[in-house]
Amino acid sequence: MLPFFTNPYPDELMYSAISRYHFYNGNHDCKDTLEEMFGNRSVIPSLEIGSHFSVLAQKLGSHYSIKDLLANHTIYPYYDMFFSNLRQQEILQDVVGDGKGLYARLGMVAGSICRKNDMYYCAECAKTDIDWYGELYIHREHQLQGVVYCPHHELPLKKYPITPNVTSRIKFIRFEIGKIDLTYKYEVDPHAEINIYLAKQAYKLLQQPLQTLSLQDVTMKYRGLLRNLNLVTTSNRIRQKELYERFEQKLPSAFLERFESVLDVTDEYNWLKMITRNIKRHVHPFRHLLMLYVLEKDVDDFIGLKADRGPFGKGPFPCLNRAAVHYKKSVIPIVKVTRDFKTNAPIGTFTCSCGFIYARKGPDHSVKDQFRIGRVKQFGHVWHEKLKRLSKGGVSIRTIARELGVDFKTIKRKLSEGVEISKKEQVVNQALMEEYKQNISDIMNQFPRLSRSSLREKCKKQYIFLYRHDKDWLMNKLPFNKKKLEPTKVVDWVKRDKEYAANIIKQHCELLELEKPIRITMSLIGKRLGILAKLERHLDELPRTKKLLSEITEPVQQFQIRRCCIVIDNMWLEDQPLQLWKVQRIAAVKSHHFHEIKPQLESYIKRKQDVPNDEQTTS
């Protein structure tokens, strides 16, 4: 155990505390400090997290545990809740040991965005540190990837003039008062409000205890939020197009471009789809914060949300049959979910063993919604038996209605259907039945070619009465349904082929002139012209159209080349230097795809440079 150590300040990185120890202890060689802290002169200091925490915690004494150091003095909590339970345990083992593969597990190698190679500080925080502690220290909330504002003072962060790991990989850098700028100069930032929100939410992530949530929990909470916004189908699929439109409305494209988070809607593996689809892939926490911003949720509120359990929760569900002894008890095991074709809202149908079937529109927003009935589909034998008992007991219709939880008109209708009819009523109904049967027969004899629909229109009350009381007689008596014979249409495929080809050429020209390029596919052209089904089913009957589509549709790689060439053309016209890395960033092409098309782009740039500007303008 060390006899002396510079105890970390609130939210101070462990690297910063060790740097101050190195300074105050008077060590000239950083390796001496490494041996004192980690018992090993070969350890490479890490600014953001670190390793060998088991030795470090032992050296610092019983006041510090491995989890405390990781949770309070590293940036790891920024990432923690977006990992699976297994990955969280693996990272804990990494920091305990030598830390090999730690940054790969964190996704700070392959999935890193807005990587900070320098150290940052807030001028106001620095002033406060000097006033309170008499010295400066490195705040972990200022070193987070994607965070460019101070969450406390809402000011842009400043870069410390010394960059770590430049002169030496083992050198400890301490913030010095003489090397920081405590002044503030106002600069216009159109995205300041968004950046401040993200900085505050990132800081809240740092304050969460480790393993508060796992990626599985986060995914189900997202699904619950999206379900409330009607962005989840009844088959549990995310409405990606509508979600993408929300992102477009809330987050400017220039902002997403600045933070390397542009969404390529044509890419089936873009980060937005990965957040909502595949819990195995790592998505940077900054992008999760963008998701929360679009869904208008605070980190604290999000953590308190319940995981998605479907539009109606998980069973069992309550039976709402007032006639049953299990009324309001959870005895219905499952719910059948369909959707409303007008609103796309989920509709749940609940079927109980007592025969009671009811439905309601979802999703449920509270426990009270579980006891709401939208429509009763079937009352069941238990309900009808109680209706019989109550009607025989001389109870009034309105009292029965209150007892069974329905309208009095429903009781009257059920009684008239034969649940309990007096002898006098039976005689009256029998007489009506004979009269109405005769009416139907007379009309049919008078108009022998009358269809079922026309007959029903002429004899509404007779038809309805007989349908309820003697359906078999009515169905046998009515004329057979007449099928409409439609004349066979002979398609002039040659004429249609010419029309389609002409329209496709026109549509192709319009697509090429779009300001934001779109990949040209048969599906896209077919949808825009309203002929996709014809193209999919009868393309062999349209040879000219088929040949034209094969010439103008683009594979993914060809579209990527066209998109990059448009960027190159714009840079050339604006007299900007043609740098391929910049072309890749603006065109939003993934690195492994860009390497494949790089030779074609280099050849394209060479051709442009070989042709004089005036010739290009003329052409």
Side-chain angles (χ1 to χ4, degrees):
M1 179 177 172
L2 294 173
F4 155 76
F5 184 67
T6 48
N7 292 327
Y9 294 124
D11 287 310
E12 181 179 15
L13 285 173
M14 202 62 217
Y15 172 93
S16 174
I18 296 174
S19 297
R20 292 188 297 108
Y21 168 83
H22 173 76
F23 174 78
Y24 288 119
N25 204 36
N27 288 340
H28 293 287
D29 191 343
C30 291
K31 289 190 175 183
D32 293 337
T33 300
L34 290 174
E35 187 170 10
E36 291 171 10
M37 301 303 302
F38 303 104
N40 188 333
R41 299 176 70 88
S42 301
V43 174
I44 305 299
S46 171
L47 177 69
E48 296 99 337
I49 300 182
S51 59
H52 297 84
F53 275 27
S54 58
V55 178
L56 180 62
Q58 184 180 358
K59 294 276 187 178
L60 297 181
S62 58
H63 295 295
Y64 298 93
S65 68
I66 294 171
K67 276 196 171 183
D68 287 340
L69 294 174
L70 187 62
N72 300 321
H73 302 291
T74 72
I75 66 166
Y76 173 66
Y78 184 49
Y79 296 83
D80 179 65
M81 64 186 264
F82 305 113
F83 290 132
S84 65
N85 290 318
L86 177 61
R87 181 63 59 88
Q88 289 171 346
Q89 294 299 325
E90 289 173 343
I91 289 173
L92 187 59
Q93 293 302 315
D94 285 338
V95 298
V96 168
D98 58 13
K100 289 182 179 178
L102 171 63
Y103 285 90
R105 291 192 205 277
L106 287 170
M108 294 177 70
V109 177
S112 181
I113 61 171
C114 313
R115 187 66 189 267
K116 289 185 174 180
N117 296 317
D118 296 282
M119 298 184 292
Y120 291 81
Y121 65 93
C122 165
E124 289 299 317
C125 285
K127 291 178 185 178
T128 303
D129 294 344
I130 294 170
D131 291 340
W132 287 12
Y133 308 113
E135 62 179 333
L136 301 170
Y137 66 90
I138 305 173
H139 289 248
R140 59 176 180 163
E141 64 268 29
H142 299 156
Q143 316 310 318
L144 302 177
Q145 293 179 5
V147 175
V148 295
Y149 273 71
C150 173
H152 314 297
H153 300 101
E154 302 182 1
L155 296 176
L157 298 176
K158 295 187 174 186
K159 187 189 297 186
Y160 191 68
I162 300 177
T163 302
N165 299 329
V166 174
T167 56
S168 171
R169 295 179 65 193
I170 63 171
K171 182 179 179 181
F172 287 104
I173 299 173
R174 180 180 66 92
F175 276 2
E176 299 178 37
I177 297 176
K179 293 181 180 178
I180 66 168
D181 180 9
L182 297 178
T183 61
Y184 171 66
K185 182 181 179 181
Y186 177 76
E187 295 180 3
V188 177
D189 182 0
H191 307 132
E193 183 180 348
I194 301 175
N195 280 317
I196 291 169
Y197 166 88
L198 296 172
K200 289 182 179 294
Q201 300 310 308
Y203 183 70
K204 287 184 178 182
L205 287 178
L206 290 178
Q207 306 309 307
Q208 300 303 322
L210 296 185
Q211 300 178 359
T212 299
L213 295 177
S214 68
L215 182 57
Q216 291 86 343
D217 302 322
V218 170
T219 303
M220 296 313 293
K221 288 177 186 289
Y222 280 147
R223 190 170 288 273
L225 283 173
L226 295 174
R227 194 182 296 282
N228 291 337
L229 295 171
N230 198 25
L231 293 177
V232 180
T233 67
T234 52
S235 57
N236 270 335
R237 296 177 68 87
I238 305 297
R239 303 185 198 278
Q240 294 288 349
K241 182 179 178 182
E242 289 87 342
L243 180 58
Y244 175 74
E245 289 172 353
R246 282 179 175 265
F247 263 81
E248 279 191 318
Q249 293 170 4
K250 293 279 289 182
L251 292 171
S253 57
F255 173 85
L256 293 175
E257 185 176 342
R258 177 186 174 188
F259 290 99
E260 304 173 49
S261 298
V262 173
L263 286 168
D264 181 0
V265 70
T266 62
D267 183 4
E268 281 300 306
Y269 298 96
N270 69 50
W271 62 264
L272 179 57
K273 290 180 180 178
M274 290 303 98
I275 279 182
T276 56
R277 280 184 179 174
N278 191 342
I279 63 172
K280 294 180 181 179
R281 286 180 178 254
H282 172 67
V283 178
H284 196 279
F286 180 76
R287 290 172 171 169
H288 282 278
L289 294 181
L290 294 180
M291 181 77 164
L292 293 181
Y293 176 79
V294 171
L295 298 178
E296 299 179 354
K297 279 294 175 186
D298 183 278
V299 166
D300 293 334
D301 295 336
F302 179 75
I303 290 174
L305 288 175
K306 291 184 178 179
D308 177 56
R309 304 181 69 194
F312 302 98
K314 290 189 177 180
F317 305 95
C319 174
L320 302 182
N321 181 5
R322 288 177 178 267
V325 294
H326 54 251
Y327 173 57
K328 285 191 174 182
K329 292 183 180 178
S330 299
V331 294
I332 301 176
I334 59 173
V335 56
K336 180 182 178 182
V337 181
T338 55
R339 67 182 178 91
D340 188 317
F341 289 101
K342 291 183 179 179
T343 63
N344 278 327
I347 297 175
T349 301
F350 304 83
T351 303
C352 185
S353 58
C354 67
F356 191 79
I357 303 175
Y358 67 96
R360 70 169 178 273
K361 189 179 290 187
D364 289 353
H365 297 290
S366 66
V367 177
K368 291 181 180 179
D369 287 341
Q370 292 186 359
F371 301 96
R372 174 173 53 83
I373 295 178
R375 182 169 71 90
V376 175
K377 289 190 171 182
Q378 188 172 305
F379 288 98
H381 61 278
V382 172
W383 190 91
H384 283 103
E385 287 173 4
K386 187 163 185 178
L387 175 58
K388 288 180 182 180
R389 291 197 303 271
L390 292 173
S391 61
K392 287 179 179 179
V395 182
S396 69
I397 289 179
R398 291 189 180 276
T399 304
I400 295 174
R402 284 195 297 271
E403 180 74 16
L404 295 179
V406 295
D407 188 81
F408 79 96
K409 292 180 181 178
T410 302
I411 299 299
K412 288 181 70 175
R413 188 180 75 251
K414 288 296 180 182
L415 290 173
S416 68
E417 287 175 358
V419 177
E420 181 63 28
I421 304 175
S422 62
K423 292 181 179 180
K424 183 178 180 181
E425 287 175 328
Q426 290 179 13
V427 172
V428 172
N429 286 345
Q430 190 63 37
L432 282 173
M433 194 179 299
E434 295 301 327
E435 178 185 346
Y436 290 168
K437 285 181 180 179
Q438 189 61 46
N439 294 153
I440 295 285
S441 299
D442 292 344
I443 293 293
M444 291 181 66
N445 291 332
Q446 186 177 355
F447 304 100
R449 294 187 178 182
L450 207 63
S451 67
R452 287 192 175 197
S453 301
S454 301
L455 179 64
R456 180 173 181 173
E457 191 63 30
K458 281 183 174 291
C459 310
K460 284 184 179 179
K461 66 176 182 179
Q462 292 91 338
Y463 187 99
I464 293 172
F465 185 88
L466 291 172
Y467 186 88
R468 289 176 176 173
H469 298 287
D470 200 345
K471 185 178 178 181
D472 292 339
W473 180 91
L474 180 64
M475 293 296 106
N476 291 329
K477 185 67 177 176
L478 291 176
F480 291 106
N481 282 327
K482 297 179 180 179
K483 293 183 179 180
K484 294 181 180 179
L485 299 176
E486 297 182 358
T488 304
K489 296 180 181 179
V490 178
V491 178
D492 187 345
W493 290 107
V494 175
K495 179 181 178 182
R496 182 173 288 186
D497 193 16
K498 291 180 180 178
E499 291 175 356
Y500 282 4
N503 292 335
I504 289 172
I505 291 172
K506 183 179 178 182
Q507 185 65 226
H508 181 236
C509 294
E510 292 177 0
L511 289 171
L512 291 177
E513 292 175 359
L514 290 175
E515 183 178 351
K516 184 177 181 181
I518 301 176
R519 182 183 164 211
I520 299 171
T521 63
M522 185 180 78
S523 176
L524 175 66
I525 292 174
K527 286 179 181 178
R528 291 174 76 101
L529 294 176
I531 59 172
L532 181 58
K534 298 289 190 303
L535 295 178
E536 290 177 339
R537 297 173 187 173
H538 304 290
L539 193 58
D540 291 334
E541 306 287 343
L542 306 163
R544 182 179 298 185
T545 302
K546 185 176 182 180
K547 181 182 178 184
L548 179 60
L549 286 173
S550 66
E551 292 172 353
I552 67 173
T553 52
E554 299 175 306
V556 174
Q557 190 176 85
Q558 184 179 337
F559 171 60
Q560 291 170 341
I561 293 172
R562 178 165 71 90
R563 195 165 59 189
C564 290
C565 288
I566 291 173
V567 174
I568 292 169
D569 290 342
N570 293 334
M571 294 172 70
W572 181 267
L573 290 173
E574 295 172 5
D575 201 23
Q576 297 181 18
L578 297 179
Q579 298 172 312
L580 283 179
W581 66 265
K582 194 171 183 180
V583 172
Q584 179 189 0
R585 179 174 61 82
I586 296 174
V589 179
K590 288 182 177 287
S591 296
H592 58 282
H593 293 314
F594 193 77
H595 287 309
E596 295 174 0
I597 65 175
K598 190 175 179 180
Q600 292 95 315
L601 298 180
E602 290 173 341
S603 175
Y604 183 75
I605 291 174
K606 188 175 185 302
R607 289 200 304 271
K608 290 190 74 68
Q609 291 173 338
D610 290 342
V611 178
N613 285 340
D614 55 347
E615 291 185 22
Q616 290 188 18
T617 304
T618 305
S619 61

